[in-house]
Amino acid sequence: MNRKTRYSRVIKGLHNWIIFFVLFSFVITCCLMLFISVLSNSLGIVFSEENLSDAAKLTFINVIFISLLFTVFDSLRRWFMVNRPVNKILDAAKKITKGDFSARIQPVNTLFADDGFNKIIECFNKMAEELSGIETLRADFIANVSHELKTPLAVMQNYGTMLQQPVLSDEKRLEYSKGITEAARRLSNLITNILKLNKLKNQQMFPSVKEYNLSEQICESLLQFENEWEKKKITIKTDIEDGVKIRSDEELLSLVWNNLFSNAMKFTGENGTVSVSLESKGDVAVINVKDTGCGMTPEVGAHIFEKFYQGDTSHSEKGNGLGLALVKRVVDIMHGEIRVESVLGKGSSFTVEFDRNLSKN
Ligand code: ADP
């Protein structure tokens, strides 16, 4: 809207307002005069025509004056108590629309404004805080994903270039192609984990509940790591209660065991020990995975369930920091609990507890 049309709108509004104001004052004056003449007739008081016309003029002026006074007072009240807080909220909302999630509104003074505005402002600030949290997570996620994608791609690129050399021994050719295969495996793992995590986060993956044997699942999952524990001469100790039946999502829970076992093997050095136990305590199943590996500090322990967090960078090329984030998400979906106890240099112990009947939750 340009300035000219804005002015003409204001003048038109003012013009209408004055007509309404004068008409309104005239009607009130007539009513008052009618009331005075009825009252004076009933009291037997007789006014001259001149006196009546003077009284009517005076009443009209007084009505206009008092109405003006109230109008000014009401406009000021509206400006302080309504327009100001509304403008503050509108300004902040405009900032948020433009992507500035740092916008916050100071509470208004309740002496001058309705307390309802402070309730709206409180809700607005909470919403802005949530939005800025989501925005930070999104930005971090993109930065982490790009970094994690670039690393194996660079490895593949390097090995690919080296493979192009005209004279190359069979040994070197094998080494470079193995490097490419390993980088491709990492890339594929990363993408699979990101997709799974995304699905779980968005609640698109609904648990498909069925009854199955948890003891068998844990044994089968552990056996997948046989090559690794043999290579590192790790002793495996098991205390798995037989025939523990649960009603839950088999596929989702296998993610938990695979990640916990994979970490235990990864972070345990040669000749170490990994112990796995399963116990059913009434309706609850308790699984413990304990290792005599490198362990972690309490500071690291506080972040291990975050996406892309890697406390021990010496093993970083073997993982992507998504394993425990996935584990935590699945355990949350199962309404279960996961605890970690760890001592740096001594080992870690992960305990998972959940109800044996998911459909009960
Ligand atoms: P990744 O194993 O790919 O690094 P995870 O999400 O599985 O990612 O684990 C996150 C971090 O938690 C690891 O980088 C490591 O620092 C720590 N961690 C997990 N399991 C163990 C363990 N058994 N022993 C010591 N540290 C562990």
Side-chain angles (χ1 to χ4, degrees):
M1 202 195 305
N2 63 25
R3 203 181 266 187
K4 212 173 161 188
T5 37
R6 211 180 313 149
Y7 281 147
S8 67
R9 260 191 177 198
V10 171
I11 288 167
K12 202 173 166 202
L14 211 62
H15 176 252
N16 288 344
W17 184 76
I18 288 170
I19 292 178
F20 170 79
F21 191 71
V22 173
L23 271 177
F24 190 67
S25 303
F26 179 72
V27 171
I28 290 182
T29 310
C30 292
C31 292
L32 277 174
M33 291 312 297
L34 206 67
F35 174 71
I36 289 169
S37 70
V38 170
L39 195 70
S40 55
N41 277 348
S42 63
L43 292 175
I45 305 166
V46 184
F47 288 110
S48 69
E49 228 172 76
E50 206 177 310
N51 277 352
L52 264 179
S53 118
D54 283 350
K57 276 182 204 157
L58 203 69
T59 313
F60 186 64
I61 290 168
N62 279 340
V63 167
I64 286 194
F65 180 72
I66 292 168
S67 310
L68 260 177
L69 212 67
F70 274 107
T71 309
V72 170
F73 178 76
D74 186 56
S75 303
L76 283 175
R77 184 196 65 83
R78 280 241 303 253
W79 168 248
F80 280 107
M81 294 178 84
V82 183
N83 291 11
R84 256 185 15 164
V86 166
N87 284 344
K88 266 184 172 185
I89 297 171
L90 280 179
D91 286 347
K94 272 181 201 157
K95 277 189 190 165
I96 298 252
T97 324
K98 283 181 186 157
D100 175 7
F101 297 113
S102 65
R104 299 286 184 280
I105 312 168
Q106 291 300 319
V108 290
N109 191 333
T110 41
L111 258 185
F112 296 112
D114 191 89
D115 192 38
F117 280 113
N118 277 340
K119 286 189 185 130
I120 297 174
I121 287 171
E122 199 184 315
C123 281
F124 184 95
N125 286 344
K126 260 192 202 152
M127 179 198 75
E129 212 163 287
E130 283 291 316
L131 281 173
S132 71
I134 292 169
E135 178 59 18
T136 319
L137 274 183
R138 192 187 65 86
D140 281 359
F141 188 77
I142 290 173
N144 283 322
V145 170
S146 330
H147 174 77
E148 291 291 329
L149 286 175
K150 269 188 198 158
T151 320
L153 279 176
V155 172
M156 285 158 99
Q157 218 170 5
N158 285 345
Y159 280 128
T161 317
M162 290 197 282
L163 268 176
Q164 285 168 18
Q165 292 171 48
V167 190
L168 207 61
S169 67
D170 282 351
E171 210 176 274
K172 283 281 167 206
R173 194 179 302 280
L174 192 66
E175 186 194 326
Y176 297 157
S177 45
K178 267 188 182 168
I180 292 181
T181 317
E182 176 57 20
R185 188 195 57 79
R186 274 193 66 190
L187 206 58
S188 148
N189 271 352
L190 173 73
I191 292 166
T192 315
N193 276 350
I194 290 173
L195 291 178
K196 275 184 195 157
L197 197 61
N198 200 35
K199 264 189 174 179
L200 288 174
K201 280 260 174 247
N202 297 334
Q203 296 282 350
Q204 287 164 354
M205 209 188 240
F206 298 105
S208 73
V209 181
K210 64 164 191 189
E211 188 175 287
Y212 73 93
N213 191 326
L214 178 65
S215 315
E216 270 176 20
Q217 187 190 35
I218 289 181
C219 291
E220 277 164 19
S221 175
L222 187 61
L223 277 172
Q224 287 176 37
F225 297 88
E226 198 173 354
N227 276 346
E228 281 191 51
W229 81 59
E230 280 186 348
K231 225 192 281 172
K232 289 169 99 175
K233 299 193 185 72
I234 292 173
T235 308
I236 301 292
K237 287 186 182 166
T238 54
D239 180 11
I240 297 172
E241 190 181 313
D242 252 354
V244 176
K245 294 266 171 56
I246 60 166
R247 276 183 59 77
S248 194
D249 187 312
E250 195 173 358
E251 202 185 321
L252 282 184
L253 276 181
S254 77
L255 274 175
V256 176
W257 319 133
N258 285 344
N259 276 299
L260 291 182
F261 297 152
S262 149
N263 279 349
M265 303 298 163
K266 189 162 66 179
F267 293 106
T268 303
E270 289 207 352
N271 302 314
T273 305
V274 171
S275 318
V276 179
S277 73
L278 162 66
E279 196 187 348
S280 66
K281 291 183 180 167
D283 283 348
V284 180
V286 184
I287 299 93
N288 179 261
V289 182
K290 199 169 164 185
D291 63 61
T292 56
C294 60
M296 59 188 117
T297 60
E299 290 75 35
V300 170
H303 296 283
I304 55 174
F305 296 111
E306 289 168 14
K307 279 185 303 219
F308 294 108
Y309 180 80
Q310 290 190 300
D312 182 2
T313 42
S314 61
H315 294 83
S316 63
E317 82 287 347
K318 288 188 186 154
N320 43 45
L322 286 177
L324 287 182
L326 266 171
V327 168
K328 177 81 175 83
R329 186 68 197 118
V330 173
V331 172
D332 284 349
I333 289 175
M334 303 295 162
H335 306 287
E337 207 186 298
I338 181 162
R339 292 187 299 275
V340 57
E341 285 158 40
S342 187
V343 179
L344 192 64
K346 291 244 165 93
S348 312
S349 163
F350 287 83
T351 308
V352 180
E353 262 187 51
F354 56 88
D355 204 303
R356 290 200 292 138
N357 191 353
L358 177 63
S359 39
K360 234 175 66 184
N361 290 300

